[in-house]
Amino acid sequence: MNRRRLPVWALVVIDLAAAAVCVGLVLLVLYIVPQGSMVEQNETEEEAVTQFSLPSEGGSGVDLNITPASQNDWSHADTMSLAADQSEIANFLAAEKTRETLQEYAGDTSEICIDQVSCTIDGEPVVYFSADIYVSTTKAVQTAFAKNMYGRNIRDFVSSMARQNHAILAISGDSYGESDSACVIRNGVLYDSNPGTSDVCVLFRDGVMKTYAAADFDADEIVAQGAWQAWTFGPSLLDGNGAVLQAFHSTEYLNKINPRAAIGYVAPGHYKFVVVDGRQDGYSAGVTMSQLAALMQEEGCMTAYNLDGGKSAVMVYDGKQISKPIGAGRTISDIIYIGADT
């Protein structure tokens, strides 16, 4: 019995459909289906932890026996470096700021003051939230993965992760799960060691925070020196001595006006969490990378690092979202938080 052959056009349609199914399956696995493992909560071994005095205890939050971080060696010779815009920096620093304290918290291991700051830059309103944080130990600066799992395509809202981990204060992290290359050290555990071409920010157990260009970064060396957290997004914003970098290892898109999240280092035991709202006409436009660097400098930081921004940039206090992200925010892979005393 002879079988009638399908016409050429039908064979083409079938081949295209099969190809579409294959592409769809690949995209599903890469970007939709969660791929990860549960996170072990406890560290395998205990290491010495530096103690800091909180302001309420009559201290500055600084261990005076620690040598201040030296200036990072930034050559910025690669072609991805983007020069800081000095006019944008000057305009930000010259803008008159209105500052209002929204929340204050004093616990056994941390003291926090959150301010809402408003200003106008180049005729556009800007609103940001700055959390001034003192901790009695670096271990008070915690991180958490969405759904308590490490891997790709595992996401949750910042507020949900904050509640699940009993955080008094939380901000969006570096969204490591959306990147093919990231150095990931969280709560003392090394998960991945390859930052690709991105700057890396490291918080050490002695309370010092440093940033590294990818070419200068060695994960094994950093772990041996006592890394407590490491984030991969960037770029670094300040030089380690409080000056804005002359250039940022970034992209043109990231360099433009956007909502922002950043972490800053003032001294061992003293840190800043900052979230800038943006892309909302009449409320807050956001800031450029140069303006964010100037902001962190104005907040008194020696070192500062840009985290995942845009819709991801969120600050949560005591389970409630205090920033106003565009589109009510989105689910992401991780948070940085300060735990509530229980």
Side-chain angles (χ1 to χ4, degrees):
M1 181 177 179
N2 294 328
R3 297 182 63 183
R4 185 178 178 183
R5 297 184 61 183
L6 293 173
V8 174
W9 67 265
L11 293 173
V12 171
V13 169
I14 291 173
D15 288 343
L16 289 175
V21 169
C22 291
V23 172
L25 289 174
V26 171
L27 294 176
L28 184 68
V29 170
L30 289 178
Y31 300 108
I32 305 297
V33 176
Q35 306 169 53
S37 57
M38 296 300 294
V39 174
E40 183 66 38
Q41 293 296 317
N42 298 320
E43 293 184 74
T44 56
E45 58 183 65
E46 191 68 22
E47 297 192 24
V49 177
T50 305
Q51 298 291 318
F52 309 110
S53 56
L54 298 173
S56 63
E57 300 170 339
S60 63
V62 179
D63 182 347
L64 299 180
N65 293 318
I66 293 180
T67 302
S70 60
Q71 180 171 341
N72 293 321
D73 181 16
W74 291 96
S75 64
H76 289 285
D78 60 87
T79 57
M80 294 181 67
S81 293
L82 299 173
D85 190 311
Q86 298 303 319
S87 64
E88 291 179 355
I89 293 171
N91 288 344
F92 179 88
L93 295 175
E96 183 176 349
K97 315 293 193 308
T98 300
R99 204 171 190 101
E100 176 188 2
T101 297
L102 299 182
Q103 301 288 349
E104 291 182 296
Y105 172 83
D108 294 335
T109 60
S110 63
E111 296 180 7
I112 302 168
C113 179
I114 304 174
D115 288 348
Q116 177 177 318
V117 185
S118 304
C119 62
T120 300
I121 303 173
D122 295 328
E124 295 289 343
V126 174
V127 176
Y128 58 94
F129 302 86
S130 175
D132 192 36
I133 304 162
Y134 289 88
V135 296
S136 62
T137 168
T138 310
K139 287 194 173 183
V141 183
Q142 293 277 322
T143 51
F145 296 134
K147 306 184 189 306
N148 196 34
M149 295 181 66
Y150 171 77
R152 292 181 63 88
N153 307 325
I154 305 168
R155 307 178 184 93
D156 204 348
F157 288 102
V158 172
S159 55
S160 296
M161 286 185 272
R163 287 191 294 268
Q164 291 164 6
N165 290 278
H166 309 290
I168 187 64
L169 173 68
I171 61 169
S172 44
D174 66 357
S175 291
Y176 77 92
E178 311 303 319
S179 176
D180 293 330
S181 300
C183 175
V184 184
I185 301 174
R186 302 298 157 87
N187 302 332
V189 179
L190 174 65
Y191 292 92
D192 200 345
S193 59
N194 178 21
T197 60
S198 299
D199 294 345
V200 182
C201 179
V202 180
L203 175 62
F204 292 92
R205 293 173 187 270
D206 63 5
V208 172
M209 180 183 289
K210 296 182 181 180
T211 55
Y212 300 82
D216 302 325
F217 182 78
D218 185 314
D220 292 336
E221 181 179 331
I222 295 303
V223 169
Q225 292 174 3
W228 174 239
Q229 313 284 1
W231 301 284
T232 308
F233 196 89
S236 176
L237 303 169
L238 304 178
D239 68 356
N241 290 316
V244 174
L245 289 169
Q246 293 299 307
F248 308 117
H249 189 235
S250 185
T251 67
E252 288 288 354
Y253 172 75
L254 289 178
N255 214 35
K256 295 178 181 178
I257 295 176
N258 281 298
R260 304 284 183 183
I263 185 169
Y265 165 77
V266 182
H270 187 188
Y271 311 97
K272 297 275 185 172
F273 289 179
V274 170
V275 166
V276 184
D277 285 339
R279 301 181 194 161
Q280 300 174 67
D281 292 342
Y283 166 60
S284 184
V287 293
T288 65
M289 200 67 73
S290 296
Q291 291 166 343
L292 180 64
L295 187 164
M296 300 305 285
Q297 179 189 51
E298 193 171 70
E299 289 292 313
C301 298
M302 298 293 103
T303 298
Y305 186 77
N306 178 59
L307 297 163
D308 189 15
K311 289 184 178 180
S312 300
V314 174
M315 181 179 288
V316 170
Y317 177 80
D318 198 18
K320 298 179 180 179
Q321 195 166 281
I322 62 173
S323 61
K324 298 177 182 178
I326 181 173
R330 63 182 164 203
T331 56
I332 59 173
S333 58
D334 61 305
I335 60 170
I336 308 171
Y337 74 95
I338 308 295
D341 292 320
T342 57

